[in-house]
Amino acid sequence: MAITRDDVLKILSAVTVDAGGTTLPASGRLSQVVVDPTGRVMFSILIDPSEAERFEPIRRRAEGAILATPGVSGVFASLTSERGPNHPAQGQTPPQPPAPGRPPAPPPPRTGPALPGVRHIVAVASGKGGVGKSTTACNLALALSAQGLKVGLLDADIYGPSVPKLFGLSGKPKVIEERLLAPMEGYGIKVMSIGFLIEPETAMIWRGPMVQSAITQMLREVAWGDLDILVVDMPPGTGDAQLTMAQATPLSGAVIVSTPQDLALIDARRGVTMFRKVSVPILGVIENMATFVCPNCGHASHIFGHGGARDEAARLAVPFLGEVPLNMTIRESSDAGRPVVAVDPDGPHAKVYRDIAAKLWANLNGASAPRAAPRIVIE
């Protein structure tokens, strides 16, 4: 017999969250419950990051109760924090406005648990698709590795995973322990993507809770080992998936990729705004597809304009990391699964990415410590 959403809510009504006997559905912390046609149940429990340790046993009780129900094939249950940086947790006193004539209090220090063994997690993001974000993330990771750093790359673009193609990787990750996957490896980089777990032409018709759970699982249930930096190829845009990733991951900072044209820059501004709202430092802006040089006559053309991202970075008071040209070599090597930084490390295009990586690493080491993030466990 198929399980329904009402069945799940009834089961969760037996799970209490405090000494007063408040049930999980009545607590206001339970997200929308999703039950897919295969019997998988998905939900999240809203917490403040400081409550992660207290609510983990509650999450496990809720998870166990659902798993014990006939008709359930699996559970995606997570703890998540979706409040903005100034939103109080339940039971806390809201922040008071500063007294007249006094400056506002500084934000709380961004300290807290990070991914074990990973020194920095950096998001490579864009306000819109089609600006070359994944190609940039791939070559940026390789350029960081060329500096002697231990680097991983997480493809968090659930709807359009590109990293397997960019690295020329195929096959399934190995399960090395229960619920722990070994990342794939390409050109010395540890890589994980939803593209390794599904068929290439599968359409990911997933709602927010499923996307959130998949990203968290790839982040937390992969044996990344010791890394100097984990580069995260973020989904394009500033929607629910991007905001959840920004809030639920201990990011050291974010890099924004944009073309120089005005339409792309409008969306790049939104990306900067989103990360600032969740207190993630902007480590820099990259202008992609900046200049096209004709391989036949050598004439330089600014197909998408030129200098727009540099000017926007100055206007937003964030670092400008550099320009990447619109070049056939970069496109052809990416399509062939042979990234230009890996196959032509001494070439002019690899140098562009290496220079950007050097600036990023310098900015990263001058940034604040990773911000707090709740412990998230996915089944």
Side-chain angles (χ1 to χ4, degrees), residues 214-267:
I215 292 174
T216 304
Q217 189 169 358
M218 290 192 297
L219 180 73
R220 304 262 175 189
E221 297 181 10
V222 171
W224 293 110
D226 292 330
L227 296 177
D228 292 304
I229 182 169
L230 177 63
V231 177
V232 180
D233 180 17
M234 294 280 282
T238 55
D240 178 69
Q242 295 82 358
L243 186 58
T244 297
M245 183 70 184
Q247 291 181 311
T249 307
L251 295 175
S252 296
V255 173
I256 305 296
V257 180
S258 177
T259 58
Q261 68 183 120
D262 290 344
L263 286 175
L265 291 171
I266 291 172
D267 294 307

Side-chain angles (χ1 to χ4, degrees), residues 293-368:
V293 178
C294 177
N296 298 316
C297 68
H299 176 69
S301 300
H302 303 307
I303 296 175
F304 298 107
H306 184 259
R310 181 190 295 272
D311 294 341
E312 191 64 25
R315 192 184 74 82
L316 295 171
V318 297
F320 181 70
L321 297 178
E323 301 175 0
V324 179
L326 176 62
N327 185 272
M328 289 179 62
T329 299
I330 297 175
R331 194 273 300 169
E332 290 171 347
S333 64
S334 298
D335 285 349
R338 294 167 52 81
V340 68
V341 173
V343 301
D344 188 17
D346 297 322
H349 308 306
K351 183 180 184 304
V352 170
Y353 287 112
R354 289 201 313 271
D355 290 345
I356 290 173
K359 292 177 183 177
L360 169 62
W361 187 246
N363 292 347
L364 186 60
N365 287 322
S368 303

Side-chain angles (χ1 to χ4, degrees), residues 5 55 59 113 134-135 175 179 194 221 236 251 297 322 325 332 336:
R5 178 177 176 276
F55 269 83
R59 187 202 69 80
S134 294
T135 300
V175 179
R179 294 169 45 84
I194 194 71
E221 297 181 10
L251 295 175
C297 68
E332 290 171 347

Side-chain angles (χ1 to χ4, degrees), residues 13 22-23 35 38 42 47 63 81-82 110 115 130 140 169 171 176 197 202 222-223 299 302 315 328 331 357 370:
S13 293
T22 305
T23 66
V35 181
T38 68
M42 291 147 281
I47 64 168
E63 171 188 271
S81 175
E82 297 180 354
R110 296 182 301 109
L115 201 60
L140 185 58
L169 293 172
I176 57 177
L197 306 174
T202 300
V222 171
H299 176 69
H302 303 307
R315 192 184 74 82
M328 289 179 62
R331 194 273 300 169

Side-chain angles (χ1 to χ4, degrees), residues 65-191:
I66 300 299
L67 280 174
T69 305
V72 174
S73 63
V75 177
F76 290 92
S78 67
L79 303 178
T80 184
S81 175
E82 297 180 354
R83 295 184 171 92
N86 296 321
H87 194 298
Q90 290 189 7
Q92 293 182 346
T93 302
Q96 300 300 314
R102 292 187 180 180
R110 296 182 301 109
T111 59
L115 201 60
V118 179
R119 184 177 172 190
H120 294 294
I121 303 177
V122 172
V124 177
S126 63
K128 64 182 296 182
V131 299
K133 169 185 55 63
S134 294
T135 300
T136 302
C138 168
N139 283 289
L140 185 58
L142 289 163
L144 288 163
S145 179
Q147 296 187 25
L149 301 172
K150 296 178 181 178
V151 183
L153 177 60
L154 170 61
D155 184 357
D157 193 347
I158 299 298
Y159 296 117
S162 302
V163 169
K165 174 71 172 177
L166 288 165
F167 274 84
L169 293 172
S170 60
K172 305 289 185 183
K174 294 181 180 179
V175 179
I176 57 177
E177 294 179 17
E178 184 181 2
R179 294 169 45 84
L180 188 65
L181 297 176
M184 307 289 278
E185 290 203 22
Y187 303 104
I189 304 290
K190 294 182 178 180
V191 182

Side-chain angles (χ1 to χ4, degrees), residues 246-288:
Q247 291 181 311
T249 307
L251 295 175
S252 296
V255 173
I256 305 296
V257 180
S258 177
T259 58
Q261 68 183 120
D262 290 344
L263 286 175
L265 291 171
I266 291 172
D267 294 307
R269 293 175 202 134
R270 296 189 180 106
V272 171
T273 300
M274 180 194 75
F275 283 112
R276 281 178 166 170
K277 282 184 178 293
V278 292
S279 302
V280 174
I282 303 299
L283 298 171
V285 173
I286 297 173
E287 181 168 298
N288 199 31

